[in-house]
Structures are given as structure tokens and as C-alpha cells.
């Protein structure tokens, strides 16, 4: 699947930068173009892989390259005002060669949180290609303003994109990690899961051909509206091949082992740590992709995994396929669940945001009253003018 990636804000830019590195490392070919948009000059300078001409600074007239300070209303405003600057970079995208746009943004900050929904609306108005969002939720310990930003951005973003893929930082934090190390590891987790999904089906002449190809239409049909989450499980295998492997194939040993392994991996991916935890049975659609050396993948394993997921979700729209990766010593299963509706984290996010908003309004009202009281001299002192 060929994508035009647009990283919006600090988190979005870093993730897109990581996507480029990952795409090159697996020779995936799913990134057609990558653009980074930000209101802070230093964040754009910190990127390593996004081409310089594809780094767009917005909001210079208002914030002078210093960012919007977690004010996502201002982030939305400067995006609307400078949408032509962003469009200038998008005009260089060979749109006839892409399957979709993917806008990546952290939902707790200011620039990405406010600007990503504005850009999504703009792209959908101009182009016929699907516009997807990849939204990264802040941790619950990051503060009330970030939670409020994320809840308001989520509410807006999900209605402006064809599908919103979500990654919840809260689920992926590890105790004892520094903030920088934590975010670097989380970004790698994000790009591996979503990168393998989007790279599936992109093959060169020398690559192994899948038994059941996952093409872009399979992913597009699965991402048909709503909110999505991804699970991934893997295990190491002996991919050395040779005579022993050939003999095992003849005896039927390897086929049975590969089938059982794949079914188990699909279960682990689905019931393990999802990018956004949810009740699996609430999913409308799903996609199972098996990855790894071709000799360890078989149609029966993918089909059994797909049937199991069909039973778990109660959905008839569960697709499946494989993505051979000859240079890996791991077999994995990617499970995409789309149209999920039972998501406790989103319910919690919205409730905390409502409380934070009420608290902020109360504090502001009290502050105005206290300031008025401070300056009240009972009419005995006149101001200069």
C-alpha cells in the first residue's frame, strides 16, 4: 500500500521520521512521500529522514516559530491560515501513485492535536484517495491540559478522516524508563505494527510471492470508517532451510507445526496488547496478516486464524493473507480490528477531560473574582487613565 505520510506536530513528525527509517530497513516500499508540519522550528530541525524541502513551518506570523504552547485551538487556527503552505508541499506528491494519505499526530499537544483534523478536512475536500489518521493518545499522568486536548481532538479528528487508527501511550509505558527512551521505544513499536500492515503486498521481483496476497484494497475495505486498533505477536523460528526442511515438508510435519503456530499467534495478537485496548467483539471488520519466512507460512494457518477471529468478533468481514519476509527469523501475526466501539480508554479520556474542563472554568472564574477583589480600593484611588 503506497502512502503519503504527513507528520503533524512534534510527535507526528518524529513518528513519520521513524516510519521512513523502518521502511528503508525492511525495503517495504510503502512510503511514497513523507511531509512534516510544525509550528516550532526546533522540532523540524530535529528530524533526520524527512527531506528538508518537505518540512513545513506554519504559524510564523503568530508564534514566530516557537510553537503554540499546547493550545490546540491556536494550532487549528494557524493551520487554517497557512493551509496553502502545507498544500504547496502536498502538490509535490505524485497523488496518482498513492493509495491513501495518512496523517500522524500526537493528540495531547497543540499543533498536531489542533491542526491534524483541519488538514484531514482539507484533503478530503480536494482528493478522492482515502484520508486516514494515526492518533497517539497521551499518558494519563501527562496532565489535565493534554487529556483535554486529546479528548477534543479525538472528537474532531475521527469525524474528519475515513478511519482513525489509535495508539495509546498509556498501555506501552515501561516503569523506570526515561521520558526520551520511553518515547523512542514507543515510536518504534508504532512504526513496526503499522509499517508491517501497510507494507504487506508491496513486493519486488526478487521477493517471495504470498500464497494469499494482501493488496491495498483489502486494507482500504477493512478501514471503512470508525476507530481501529492493531495487535501483533511474533516468535523466532529456524529459517535456515536446506534438506531437513524439505524432508519435513514431505512428511507433513512442518505444515502442521506452521498451521498451529500461526493460529496461536493470531490469538496472542488479538488478545494481547493492542495499540488501543478494546472489547474485540465490538469490531465491525478485521484483517489478519501473517509475516515471516515463506517456508513457515501456509494458507491453512492464516485461514484458521481468520476463522477464529471471525468467531471472536461475530463479523463476516474478516480478511486474511500473508506477507513473506525472507530475511527474517521471526514469524508474526498482525491483526487489524476496525470499527471498534467498546473502548474503555476513550470513555475514561472523555470523562477526565470533562472534569478538567469544569475545573478550568471554575479556576478561571475564581481567579477573575479574586483579581477584582485585589484591585478594589472602594473608589478611594483613581487610575492614571
Amino acid at each position: 500500500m503506497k502512502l503519503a505520510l504527513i507528520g503533524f506536530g512534534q510527535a507526528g513528525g518524529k513518528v513519520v521520521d521513524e516510519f521512513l527509517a523502518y521502511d528503508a530497513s525492511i525495503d517495504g516500499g510503502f512510503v511514497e512521500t513523507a511531509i512534516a508540519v510544525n509550528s516550532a522550528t526546533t522540532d523540524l530541525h530535529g528530524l533526520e529522514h524527512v527531506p528538508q524541502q518537505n518540512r513545513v513551518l506554519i504559524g510564523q506570523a503568530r508564534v514566530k516559530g516557537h510553537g503554540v504552547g499546547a493550545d490546540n485551538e491556536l494550532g487549528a487556527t494557524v493551520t487554517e491560515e497557512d493551509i496553502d503552505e502545507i498544500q504547496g508541499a502536498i502538490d509535490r506528491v505524485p497523488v496518482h501513485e498513492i493509495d491513501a494519505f495518512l496523517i500522524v499526530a500526537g493528540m495531547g499537544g497543540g499543533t498536531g492535536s489542533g491542526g491534524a483534523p483541519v488538514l484531514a478536512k482539507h484533503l478530503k475536500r480536494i482528493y478522492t484517495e482515502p484520508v486516514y489518521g494515526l492518533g497517539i493518545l497521551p499518558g494519563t499522568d501527562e496532565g489535565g491540559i493534554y487529556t483535554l486536548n486529546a479528548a477534543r481532538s479525538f472528537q474532531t479528528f475521527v469525524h474528519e478522516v475515513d478511519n482513525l487508527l489509535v495508539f495509546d501511550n498509556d498501555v506501552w509505558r515501561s516503569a523506570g524508563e526515561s521520558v526520551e527512551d520511553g518515547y523512542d521505544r514507543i515510536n518504534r513499536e508504532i512504526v513496526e505494527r503499522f509499517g508491517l500492515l501497510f507494507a504487506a503486498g508491496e513486493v519486488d521481483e526478487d521477493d517471495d510471492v504470498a500464497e494469499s496476497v494482501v493488496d491495498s484494497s483489502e486494507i482500504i475495505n477493512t478501514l471503512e470508517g470508525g476507530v481501529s486498533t492493531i495487535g501483533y505477536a511474533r516468535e523466532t523460528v529456524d529459517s535456515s532451510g536446506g534438506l531437513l526442511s524439505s524432508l519435513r515438508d514431505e512428511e507433513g510435519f512442518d505444515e502442521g507445526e506452521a498451521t498451529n503456530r500461526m493460529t496461536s499467534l493470531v490469538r496472542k495478537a488479538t488478545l494481547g496488547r493492542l495499540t488501543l485496548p478494546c472489547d474485540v467483539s465490538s469490531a465491525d471488520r478485521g484483517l489478519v496478516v501473517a509475516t515471516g519466512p515463506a517456508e513457515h507460512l501456509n494458507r491453512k494457518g492464516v485461514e484458521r486464524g481468520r476463522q477464529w477471529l471471525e468467531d471472536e468478533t461475530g463479523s463476516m468481514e474478516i480478511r486474511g493473507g500473508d506477507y513473506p519476509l525472507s530475511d527474517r527469523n521471526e514469524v508474526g501475526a498482525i491483526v487489524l480490528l476496525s470499527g471498534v466501539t467498546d473502548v474503555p480508554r476513550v470513555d475514561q479520556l472523555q470523562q477526565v477531560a470533562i472534569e478538567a474542563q469544569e475545573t478550568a472554568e471554575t479556576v478561571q472564574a475564581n481567579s477573575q473574582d479574586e483579581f477584582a477583589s485585589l484591585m478594589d480600593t472602594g473608589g478611594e484611588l483613581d487610575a492614571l487613565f
Side-chain angles (χ1 to χ4, degrees):
M1 187 169 186
K2 296 286 189 184
L3 295 175
L5 295 181
I6 304 171
F8 220 118
Q10 183 184 42
K14 284 185 174 181
V15 170
V16 164
D17 215 42
E18 192 73 34
F19 263 125
L20 283 169
Y22 182 75
D23 190 41
S25 73
I26 67 167
D27 198 21
F30 67 92
V31 180
E32 182 64 38
T33 306
I35 297 168
V37 182
N38 211 317
S39 60
T41 309
T42 52
D43 291 341
L44 289 175
H45 286 331
L47 301 175
E48 296 178 17
H49 306 289
V50 177
Q52 194 67 44
Q53 70 270 21
N54 287 356
R55 304 180 191 185
V56 183
L57 182 66
I58 61 171
Q60 292 185 71
R62 286 179 179 262
V63 298
K64 317 296 184 188
H66 299 302
V68 298
D71 182 345
N72 60 359
E73 290 188 4
L74 181 55
T77 298
V78 298
T79 302
E80 288 172 345
E81 290 175 348
D82 288 353
I83 198 71
D84 289 343
E85 296 287 327
I86 304 170
Q87 184 61 51
I90 295 170
D91 284 341
R92 293 192 291 272
V93 175
V95 177
H96 61 283
E97 294 181 10
I98 69 168
D99 297 302
F101 292 93
L102 179 66
I103 304 171
V104 186
M107 302 184 78
T111 305
S113 172
V118 173
L119 178 59
K121 185 176 184 177
H122 172 78
L123 293 177
K124 288 201 68 176
R125 184 173 59 85
I126 295 177
Y127 300 101
T128 57
E129 287 73 17
V131 178
Y132 301 126
L134 171 50
I136 303 159
L137 298 180
T140 51
D141 60 348
E142 291 187 35
I145 181 63
Y146 300 103
T147 300
L148 180 56
N149 280 352
R152 295 183 69 196
S153 180
F154 186 96
Q155 192 86 358
T156 314
F157 204 10
V158 75
H159 290 114
E160 299 299 342
V161 292
D162 290 291
N163 192 284
L164 182 59
L165 302 134
V166 183
F167 190 97
D168 182 10
N169 274 347
D170 229 28
V171 182
W172 294 84
R173 289 277 181 83
S174 293
E177 268 185 328
S178 70
V179 173
E180 185 174 352
D181 288 345
Y183 282 130
D184 287 345
R185 180 183 57 77
I186 285 171
N187 287 349
R188 289 192 296 272
E189 298 280 7
I190 292 172
V191 302
E192 181 173 39
R193 279 155 180 75
F194 293 99
L196 280 172
L197 172 68
F198 291 122
E202 291 296 331
V203 292
D204 294 324
E205 288 182 10
D206 299 331
D207 292 341
D208 292 320
V209 179
E211 286 195 38
S212 180
V213 176
V214 179
D215 60 25
S216 59
S217 65
E218 301 276 7
I219 300 174
I220 289 169
N221 288 334
T222 305
L223 294 174
E224 203 172 89
V227 174
S228 292
T229 182
I230 285 183
Y232 179 50
R234 61 189 171 189
E235 65 178 60
T236 304
V237 294
D238 176 14
S239 58
S240 56
L243 179 61
L244 181 59
S245 293
S246 299
L247 289 172
R248 283 179 171 176
D249 283 339
E250 288 175 12
E251 295 167 6
F253 173 76
D254 256 9
E255 183 180 2
E257 184 182 28
T259 299
N260 292 335
R261 179 190 292 119
M262 185 49 58
T263 306
S264 174
L265 285 171
V266 170
R267 291 184 185 215
K268 288 178 182 176
T270 307
L271 303 176
R273 193 160 48 162
L274 297 169
T275 59
L276 177 68
C278 68
D279 183 342
V280 173
S281 66
S282 73
D284 276 347
R285 300 167 300 282
L287 175 65
V288 174
V289 182
T291 67
E295 64 269 21
H296 291 279
L297 305 177
N298 71 344
R299 186 187 295 273
K300 191 182 291 183
V302 176
E303 182 57 24
R304 280 195 187 172
R306 191 196 67 75
Q307 287 174 348
W308 175 84
L309 188 60
E310 206 171 78
D311 293 339
E312 285 293 299
T313 59
S315 170
M316 299 300 290
E317 289 192 61
I318 306 296
R319 299 169 174 85
D322 58 293
Y323 177 36
L325 294 167
S326 56
D327 59 345
R328 288 204 166 198
N329 64 345
E330 293 177 335
V331 169
I334 305 160
V335 174
L336 169 63
L337 298 170
S338 185
V340 296
T341 53
D342 190 346
V343 188
R345 176 71 169 98
V346 173
D347 292 338
Q348 178 207 27
L349 181 79
Q350 291 170 338
Q351 188 55 46
V352 171
I354 289 168
E355 292 170 4
Q357 185 167 280
E358 290 172 350
T359 301
E361 289 169 355
T362 301
V363 168
Q364 185 176 6
N366 290 342
S367 177
Q368 290 172 345
D369 291 343
E370 288 166 4
F371 179 74
S373 176
L374 173 68
M375 302 308 296
D376 183 14
T377 62
E380 296 181 10
L381 190 62
D382 295 330
L384 286 175
F385 52 84

